[in-house]
Amino acid sequence: MLTAFSAEEGLVFLFKRMSAKKTSIVPDLFDEIVCQTKPPESSKNTPIHFLQNFDVLKHRTGIATSYEKLCVSAEIAKIIKINGENIDEKQSLFNLLTKTFDAIESTQNLKAVQIKFLYLLTKEQGYAIKEDFFQSLSSDDKTTFTYILKNPAQNLHDYIQQAENIYIKLKRWIQTNTDIIVE
C-alpha cells in the first residue's frame, strides 16, 4: 500500500498487487509518477485505488542517499498526510510539494526548506503568518527570515544555525495559532 498525493484528488491510497514471482515493481518513496489506477469494485467514491501501471516522471534519488534528507522529507509527507484532507487547493499543494522535495534533494540547509514549506502552506491556508508571526520576531530574526524566504535554499549554506532557530519558532507559532498539525 502506498499513500500518494494527487494534484486532482488530493490524498489517495494506492494498492499494488504483487506477483508471486516478485517481478512487480512499485514507485520509489518520493518519485513523481503518472499512473493508471482502478477503483475497487465495491465502491467508486473512495480514496482507495489499485495501481495498474505507472511511469516515473522524476526520480529523487538524492533524498534516498541522505538519512537527514529522508527524515525531513518524511516529516513533510507526514504533515500532508495529517492535514491533506482539509486542504482544498490540491493543485497548489501538489506544486508546493514538488518544489519542496526538489529543494530537499539539492540543498544542505534543510531547515530553510522546511521554513519555506511551512510558511507557504500556512499562508495559502489563509493564516496571518506575515502579519502575526513575522511581527513577533526580533529585528535580527526578521532580517534572517526575510533573507531565507527570498533566496534559494542552495544559497543559504551559511544560514543553517539561524534557520534552525527560526524553524523552531515558526513551528511553535503554527502549533499555537493555527489548525495545522505539525507535531
Side-chain angles (χ1 to χ4, degrees):
M1 184 183 119
L2 304 166
T3 303
F5 192 84
S6 162
E8 297 81 23
E9 297 182 44
L11 283 174
V12 291
F13 302 99
L14 302 174
F15 287 90
K16 174 73 173 154
R17 290 190 176 103
M18 303 300 283
S19 77
K21 298 177 186 177
K22 304 215 188 261
T23 57
S24 297
I25 58 171
V26 294
D28 199 14
L29 197 54
F30 294 101
D31 282 347
E32 190 172 325
I33 65 169
V34 61
C35 63
Q36 183 178 17
T37 64
K38 179 180 165 187
E41 305 296 329
S42 59
S43 174
K44 302 293 183 193
N45 289 335
T46 179
I48 297 173
H49 299 273
F50 288 98
L51 182 61
Q52 293 184 308
N53 56 50
F54 68 93
D55 290 316
V56 177
L57 298 176
K58 185 183 292 185
H59 284 290
R60 292 191 178 90
T61 54
I63 292 174
T65 60
S66 164
Y67 180 72
E68 185 179 12
K69 290 180 180 189
L70 179 63
C71 289
V72 168
S73 298
E75 185 177 330
I76 287 170
K78 183 178 178 183
I79 290 169
I80 296 306
K81 188 171 182 180
I82 292 170
N83 298 285
E85 291 180 13
N86 300 323
I87 298 174
D88 294 329
E89 303 86 17
K90 293 167 180 51
Q91 182 66 51
S92 177
L93 183 56
F94 181 83
N95 294 339
L96 176 59
L97 280 171
T98 299
K99 289 177 185 174
T100 301
F101 290 138
D102 289 346
I104 288 170
E105 184 176 37
S106 63
T107 188
Q108 295 304 311
N109 192 340
L110 300 175
K111 290 302 176 199
V113 175
Q114 288 176 291
I115 288 169
K116 291 172 185 250
F117 169 77
L118 287 177
Y119 174 78
L120 291 171
L121 177 67
T122 306
K123 183 178 172 193
E124 287 180 7
Q125 292 307 300
Y127 293 102
I129 189 165
K130 187 172 184 177
E131 296 79 4
D132 191 19
F133 172 71
F134 185 75
Q135 297 308 319
S136 71
L137 296 174
S138 70
S139 179
D140 288 344
D141 283 348
K142 284 180 183 178
T143 302
T144 303
F145 183 65
T146 302
Y147 189 78
I148 288 171
L149 291 179
K150 289 185 177 183
N151 290 283
Q154 296 88 329
N155 300 343
L156 299 171
H157 187 68
D158 294 338
Y159 287 82
I160 291 176
Q161 187 57 49
Q162 295 97 321
E164 174 74 33
N165 295 334
I166 290 174
Y167 175 73
I168 291 167
K169 293 174 185 179
L170 176 59
K171 196 171 174 181
R172 191 175 312 126
W173 182 87
I174 290 171
Q175 290 169 328
T176 306
N177 296 287
T178 74
D179 293 330
I180 299 171
I181 300 169
V182 291
E183 298 180 346

